[in-house]
């Protein structure tokens, strides 16, 4: 019988072993066998991650690799520390991987076992990143998930757009990784430690150290590049536009949000004792607001469906970061629940765009006007769009309500409402146009700066008519998960999990001494009248904005508004130029800003 300490390594090792098995058998068995094995490995990984989350509810599960055990004055070796938040992230990775593989049954008939093997390796990298308690191991798992993600982005390597998107993704994330590795070197040179609990013990009682501060800032920059926080966000829409739809489920649902998780883990588990909370709060708040607003505006401007969803992810990344910026268990609980609910809804939306692409060879909202004859899928798309805006009684809605209540600021609450409404409105507008032909037929002409998705090669050509049951089943399962996460009996675990996550002393004591401490009580998770009211307001605002976009004649807008809108649109399109040199320059600017904000505390 497996002990709890065996679960963290198993959650990581199982998909790696499964990927190796698939590659070994790929040329000798049928594709049906390959897909069945991949689903079986993903299901087993999901079961292990679920058991780990249950075990973590009784205290963080600590595993020292290689049999090392820390002593009073000597702590070496690699440690895995699975608290409830980390185990929950691993479970989310496993569930999304399972449903993505279900959707992709027979998806790439010409890739043999490479596609499911890469998906399993990708999930192993993300799970390891969530569970490790070692700074250098975080970098190793960061690179594992990155390499798998680059390959999955460029699967259609005969298409120039796919190569370009994968190249942008790879180069920008590699630059972030170099800065991260340099920061790890600075931290190790100063402290002689890489384990997060060992780092916390070493830094406790020390004064302000500029080398440690700069090292932390550089490591965080690497995680923020992965999270696509502005101004590190340029690669994300390019990668989503060319990656297969089931891969985008993992990109938007967990890979990018794991960058926010990594920064929060690094702060609370290792560096909290060495950094000024006011400086960390200021850095996170500034980046969160800029990311949320820019992502929402860019989302509203898109007509390429996958790019629209990608910019919606950027906007929500900003909202997740806004919760972490509160530096409280309430903020962490809000961000964690919002992240999980968003992952389910956004995953369903990406899978539905995959169905559209497979049958219509286009992702252009304008050219698809009224052409997609799947009213059932259309109804699910519209419902998911309203969920994205924060519809009450859903996981995303409950996370959003907690975020609004944790901020205790009218301006921040208004930002959350408007940003979520804008992203929901953009997706709702597209769904009503594409599936139901609502509003006037839009023009199909495009400017040089605009990416339309008018002529896209499908990931898989499915026959016209009813989509395969595996595709529809994966969509329905994700939307059901999104609703389940809004039930307080399910979501209530986020409160104690957040308190455990923010208990820096408890993390260190559990990992180094094996002593379980009692974490302070976490926030109570429930629906309130205020939360329901703000959620209804966000959903109603999204519907109103979508209705204006569909039915309001442009000539009714004042000329100055139309001119200003065109100027803003042109400027933002030029900013997102697609040139690697521009993106690399913005990355360096962002790294300098992050370092300055943290060091100024």
């Amino acid at each position: 019988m497996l002990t709890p300490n065996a679960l963290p390594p198993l959650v990581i090792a199982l998909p790696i072993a499964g990927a190796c098995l698939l590659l070994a058998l790929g040329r000798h068995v049928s594709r049906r066998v390959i897909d069945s094995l991949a689903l079986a490995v993903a299901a087993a990984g999901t079961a292990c991650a679920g058991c780990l989350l249950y075990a973590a509810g009784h205290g963080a599960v600590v595993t020292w690799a290689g049999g090392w055990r820390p002593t009073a004055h000597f702590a070496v070796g690699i440690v895995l520390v699975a608290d409830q938040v980390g185990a929950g992230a691993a479970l989310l990775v496993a569930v999304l991987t399972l449903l993505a593989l279900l959707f992709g049954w027979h998806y790439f008939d010409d890739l043999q076992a490479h596609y499911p093997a890469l998906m399993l390796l990708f999930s192993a990298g993300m799970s390891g990143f969530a569970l490790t308690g070692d700074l250098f191991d975080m970098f190793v798992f960061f690179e594992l998930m990155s390499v798998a993600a680059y390959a999955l982005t460029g699967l259609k390597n005969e298409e120039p757009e796919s190569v370009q998107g994968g190249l942008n993704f790879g180069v920008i994330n590699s630059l972030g990784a170099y800065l991260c590795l340099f920061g790890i070197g600075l931290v190790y040179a100063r402290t002689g430690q890489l384990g997060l609990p060992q780092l916390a013990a070493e830094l406790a009682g020390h004064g302000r150290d500029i080398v440690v501060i700069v090292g932390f800032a550089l490591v965080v920059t690497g995680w923020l590049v992965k999270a696509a926080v502005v101004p590190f966000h340029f690669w994300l829409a390019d990668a989503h536009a060319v990656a297969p739809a089931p891969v985008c489920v993992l990109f938007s649902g967990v890979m990018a949000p794991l960058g926010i998780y990594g920064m929060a883990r690094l702060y609370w588990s290792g560096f909290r004792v060495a950094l000024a909370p006011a400086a960390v709060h200021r850095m996170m708040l500034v980046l969160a607001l800029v990311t949320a607003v820019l992502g929402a505006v860019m989302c509203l401007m898109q007509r390429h469906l996958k790019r629209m969803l990608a910019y919606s992810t950027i906007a929500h990344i900003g909202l997740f970061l806004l919760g972490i910026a509160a530096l409280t268990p309430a903020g962490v609980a809000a961000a964690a629940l919002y992240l999980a609910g968003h992952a389910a809804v956004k995953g369903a939306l990406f899978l539905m765009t995959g169905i559209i692409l497979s049958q219509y060879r286009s992702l252009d909202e304008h050219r698809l006007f009224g052409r997609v004859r799947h009213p059932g899928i259309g109804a699910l798309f519209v419902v998911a769009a309203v969920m994205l805006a924060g519809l009450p009684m859903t996981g995303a809605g409950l996370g959003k309500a907690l975020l609004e209540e944790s901020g205790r600021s009218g301006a921040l609450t208004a930002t959350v409402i408007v940003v979520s409404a804008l992203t929901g409105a953009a997706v709702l507008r597209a769904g009503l146009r594409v599936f139901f032909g609502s509003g006037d037929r839009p023009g199909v002409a495009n400017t040089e700066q605009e990416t339309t998705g008018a002529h896209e090669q499908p990931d898989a050509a499915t026959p016209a008519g009813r989509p395969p049951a595996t595709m529809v089943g994966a969509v329905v399962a994700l939307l059901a998960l999104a609703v389940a996460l809004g039930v307080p009996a399910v979501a209530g675990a986020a409160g104690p999990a957040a308190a455990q996550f923010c208990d820096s002393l408890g993390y260190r004591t559990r990992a180094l001494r094996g002593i379980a401490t009692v974490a302070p009580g976490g926030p109570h998770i429930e629906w309130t009248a205020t939360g329901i009211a703000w959620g209804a307001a966000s959903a109603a605002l999204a519907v109103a904005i979508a209705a204006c976009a569909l039915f309001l004649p442009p000539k009714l807008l004042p000329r100055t508004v139309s001119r200003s809108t065109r100027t803003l649109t042109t400027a933002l399109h030029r900013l997102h130029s697609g040139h690697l040199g521009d993106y690399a320059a913005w990355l360096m600017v962002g790294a300098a800003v992050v370092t300055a904000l943290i060091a100024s505390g």
Side-chain angles (χ1 to χ4, degrees), residues 210-541:
I210 191 62
V211 174
V212 172
I213 291 173
V214 172
F216 173 82
L218 292 177
V219 175
V220 161
T221 296
W223 302 163
L224 292 177
V225 171
K226 185 65 72 182
V229 169
V230 176
F232 311 112
H233 69 290
F234 294 97
W235 63 269
L236 186 128
D238 294 341
H240 280 68
V242 299
V247 175
C248 292
V249 173
L250 295 175
F251 279 9
S252 268
V254 278
M255 184 191 72
L258 274 178
I260 301 299
Y261 167 88
M263 179 174 63
R265 172 64 73 194
L266 204 62
Y267 171 71
W268 266 289
S269 301
F271 288 83
R272 184 180 185 181
V273 295
L275 301 173
V280 176
H281 167 74
R282 181 171 56 248
M283 179 270 292
M284 293 184 182
L285 183 62
V286 170
L287 295 180
L289 292 175
V290 175
T291 301
V293 173
L294 182 62
V297 172
M298 288 298 297
C299 175
L300 202 61
M301 290 167 47
Q302 304 303 309
R303 53 191 275 195
H304 187 298
L305 295 181
K306 287 170 73 174
R307 294 181 73 90
M308 178 188 298
L309 295 176
Y311 280 113
S312 167
T313 295
I314 292 174
H316 283 87
I317 289 289
L319 297 183
F320 306 153
L321 184 54
L322 197 60
I324 301 298
L327 301 183
T328 63
V332 171
L337 189 54
Y338 202 173
L339 187 158
H342 167 269
V345 175
K346 186 61 65 65
L349 287 166
F350 268 115
L351 293 186
M352 285 185 276
T353 63
I355 293 174
I356 295 172
L357 178 60
S358 68
Q359 297 200 351
Y360 295 91
R361 294 176 176 267
S362 177
L363 289 172
D364 185 358
E365 173 190 344
H366 293 185
R367 292 181 184 271
L368 287 171
F369 179 81
R371 288 178 54 200
V372 183
R373 303 299 184 182
H374 296 296
I377 298 296
L380 293 176
F381 196 97
V382 168
V383 169
V386 182
M387 286 183 177
L388 195 64
L391 184 69
M393 305 307 160
T394 64
L398 182 53
K400 170 181 165 295
L402 294 173
L403 179 60
E404 291 160 350
E405 294 172 5
S406 68
R408 298 178 182 177
S409 166
L412 294 182
T413 298
T415 299
V416 175
I417 292 173
V418 171
V419 167
S420 58
L422 287 176
T423 57
V427 179
L428 180 60
R429 178 201 70 202
L432 292 173
R433 273 182 175 160
V434 167
F435 289 97
F436 303 104
S438 301
D440 296 330
R441 180 179 293 275
V444 297
N446 60 286
T447 64
E448 293 182 359
Q449 297 89 9
E450 194 171 20
T451 303
T452 66
H455 304 289
E456 297 278 335
Q457 290 299 315
D459 303 326
T462 59
R466 187 188 299 270
T470 51
M471 289 185 171
V472 179
V475 171
V476 172
L478 283 168
L479 292 179
L481 176 61
V483 174
L485 289 169
V487 178
V490 177
Q500 184 188 50
F501 184 86
C502 297
D503 183 14
S504 304
L505 179 60
Y507 181 92
R508 185 168 77 237
T509 303
R510 179 75 169 178
L512 294 180
R513 301 179 186 174
I515 301 173
T517 60
V518 179
H524 184 60
I525 307 297
E526 65 177 357
W527 284 101
T528 63
T530 302
I532 293 173
W534 286 131
S538 295
L541 182 58

Side-chain angles (χ1 to χ4, degrees), residues 539-566:
L541 182 58
V543 172
I545 295 171
C548 290
L550 292 172
F551 302 108
L552 185 65
K555 62 183 180 181
L556 293 182
L557 293 175
R559 184 173 300 178
T560 54
V561 173
S562 298
R563 187 182 301 115
S564 300
T565 301
R566 285 195 299 271

Side-chain angles (χ1 to χ4, degrees), residues 64-69:
W64 286 87
W68 287 96
R69 290 292 182 271

Side-chain angles (χ1 to χ4, degrees), residues 14-42 101 111-121:
L14 186 61
I16 295 176
C20 294
L21 178 63
L22 292 178
L23 292 174
L25 297 177
R27 295 183 179 274
H28 307 289
V29 298
S30 68
R31 183 57 197 269
R32 183 178 296 274
V33 173
I34 290 295
D35 285 340
S36 299
L37 286 173
L39 280 173
V41 171
L101 287 171
L111 289 178
Q112 299 295 329
H114 293 87
Y115 165 69
L118 284 170
M119 291 288 279
L120 291 176
L121 287 174

